[in-house]
Amino acid sequence: MSGPAAVDLAVEAVRSGRMVIVVDGEDDSATGNLVLGAGHASAEAVNFMATRGRGLIRVAMSAARLDALGIPPADTTATGPARDTFRVSVDVAAGTARGISARGRAETIRALVDPAATERDFTRPGYVFPVGCREGGLLAAVGESAVRSRVAALAQPIAVTAQPEGVASRSEPAAAQPPAVGLHAEAAVELLVSAGLEPAAVLCEICGVDGELAQLPELLELGGAHDIPVIGIAELIEYRRRELCRVQRAGEARIPLEAGQFRAIGYVDGTGREHIALVHGDLARAEAPLARIQSECLLGDVFGSRRCECRDSLRRSLALIAETGDGVVVYLRGPDDVVSRTPATCPRASPDLASRNALLHSDIRSAGDILTDLGVHAVRLLVDTADTVDLPADIAVVERVDIVADPLSDGAGRLPADRAVRHTGLGGAAASRTAVNGIAVNGTAATGTVVTGSTATGTAVTGTAVTGVAVNGTAVNGPAIDTVTRTTVDAVNRVGSAT
């Protein structure tokens, strides 16, 4: 088993009507199943499963299709997910061979995937055991918790050390592997879907000659002896995630935003979700342009929820990119159930919610694919303290620029006069073009701190003394000094006098 290449080989095998061994782990205790497309079931294949696999032969397919065929749960009193999983065994009513025979079971298996089949075509009980798979396939079976645990692992504190070239070296915790035990049926169907076949698979547990479940060394030996590809469920999960998050361009338009003129480029991923890249300037002009990965927050972005800082982070990112000249905001659509979820859920509302609503692995991969499509291979990543995003390895993050999420920013995403960008990697410029940590901006000296519309003693603003002496020839004995566009802010100063 060796990653995507092994899965590609397995996909091609089932597409051509051959078997594959699917294993639920990578240690010696892992167990496995023989898997075959139900439409390719033959007497020879069933016999091989019975004599070499030695386990129970089942047919995994969607629970909805089994309901349509009138095949009920094996235990109607059962509760929980297992109620739909195990169904009453069946035989095809018009079979030409006895149901228990290899030929009889093959006929029943093929009948189950016949689109024209109805409830009247089957008798029960029988010798073929249908298994219902949950809606959404393998990735849904893995569950959001497993996906988010991996993202959360990537979001743990990361040690950053400066390299001689100025590129940060990151030491990341190992990503957690998704659980695979108990997912053989979903994995078998997912393999058929990857091959473009009917989502129904025949599978059989592999037992040893002693009747006990065969473990990995024996599974590999069986695969080698009969030229059967062997793959792991975890590999298949990663493969499917990667396939489903691939993006394609869907359109482009120029749109005027508060921060400036941007190009909006639409993308659609493998699940049908639409994402947008907001591009300013020429991305090819900068070796590592500014980039922001922003996940959709309906309540924050649209309605301005004060439980989070999503709107401020988005607007500030757009403003910084427009001010710098070249950059992109990759805006990722959220899950389809965003409206039905509790209003408290937001990607960055609080640390506990952040871990629960972090970007999925597939979203991060989609963001990387969008950047690659735009010709971006290295970025200066705009981040704030609530972010849990880390780009794929093929996108180099040469610098992390802290945008300082601040709910007090103005409507255009600029920081007020008393706030400054903590990161000075933008040439020392603040969002409101005021001084940053003592660094001169546009020739303006900054030796102190600008504080909420007034200036601190000893601080020069736009070349004008601020120690209560004079401003544009007007005495100032108390009015605040506006550091952005005006000399004084009190109405009395606007008519040329001050008290």
Side-chain angles (χ1 to χ4, degrees), residues 192-237:
L192 270 294
V193 172
S194 298
L197 301 177
E198 182 73 19
V202 189
L203 65 160
C204 176
E205 295 106 333
I206 301 174
C207 298
V209 293
D210 59 356
E212 299 299 324
L213 285 172
Q215 296 185 337
L216 187 58
E218 192 171 354
L219 299 176
L220 295 174
E221 182 180 350
L222 177 64
H226 297 276
D227 192 26
I228 301 175
V230 181
I231 63 167
I233 294 179
E235 291 175 311
L236 183 58
I237 290 171

Side-chain angles (χ1 to χ4, degrees), residues 249 251 253 255 257-267 274-283 288-297 301 309-333 348 359 363 366-374 376 378-384 387 389 391 401 403 412-413:
R249 283 203 188 202
I255 58 173
L257 300 178
E258 291 175 316
Q261 190 82 4
F262 280 75
R263 283 188 300 137
I265 304 175
Y267 291 88
E274 299 173 339
H275 310 293
I276 298 176
L278 298 168
V279 178
H280 188 278
D282 184 1
L283 296 178
L290 285 176
R292 170 72 177 167
I293 310 303
Q294 182 94 7
S295 57
E296 178 187 25
C297 173
D301 297 339
E309 299 168 352
C310 296
R311 172 185 279 185
D312 293 303
S313 295
L314 177 59
R315 290 179 170 178
R316 190 176 302 110
S317 297
L318 292 168
L320 286 172
I321 287 172
E323 185 175 332
T324 304
D326 306 307
V328 56
V329 171
V330 178
Y331 192 80
L332 299 170
R333 289 295 306 274
R348 296 189 306 280
L359 281 172
D363 292 330
S366 291
D369 283 355
I370 290 172
L371 291 173
T372 299
D373 181 75
L374 293 171
V376 176
V379 298
R380 296 159 63 205
L381 190 63
L382 291 169
V383 298
D384 60 43
D387 279 332
V389 63
L391 291 176
V401 181
I403 62 174

Side-chain angles (χ1 to χ4, degrees), residues 6 9-11 13-14 18-22 223-224 226-231:
L9 183 62
V11 168
V14 296
R18 297 167 52 210
M19 290 186 194
V20 170
I21 296 175
V22 178
H226 297 276
D227 192 26
I228 301 175
V230 181
I231 63 167

Side-chain angles (χ1 to χ4, degrees), residues 357-426:
N357 296 282
L359 281 172
L360 299 181
H361 174 79
S362 57
D363 292 330
I364 296 172
R365 183 64 260 179
S366 291
D369 283 355
I370 290 172
L371 291 173
T372 299
D373 181 75
L374 293 171
V376 176
H377 304 287
V379 298
R380 296 159 63 205
L381 190 63
L382 291 169
V383 298
D384 60 43
T385 54
D387 279 332
T388 59
V389 63
D390 200 3
L391 291 176
D394 52 345
I395 304 294
V397 178
V398 301
E399 185 179 17
R400 289 178 175 259
V401 181
D402 191 345
I403 62 174
V404 189
D406 193 328
L408 298 178
S409 63
D410 67 14
R414 295 182 295 267
L415 292 175
D418 66 324
R419 304 289 177 174
V421 177
R422 283 204 299 260
H423 200 290
T424 59
L426 300 178

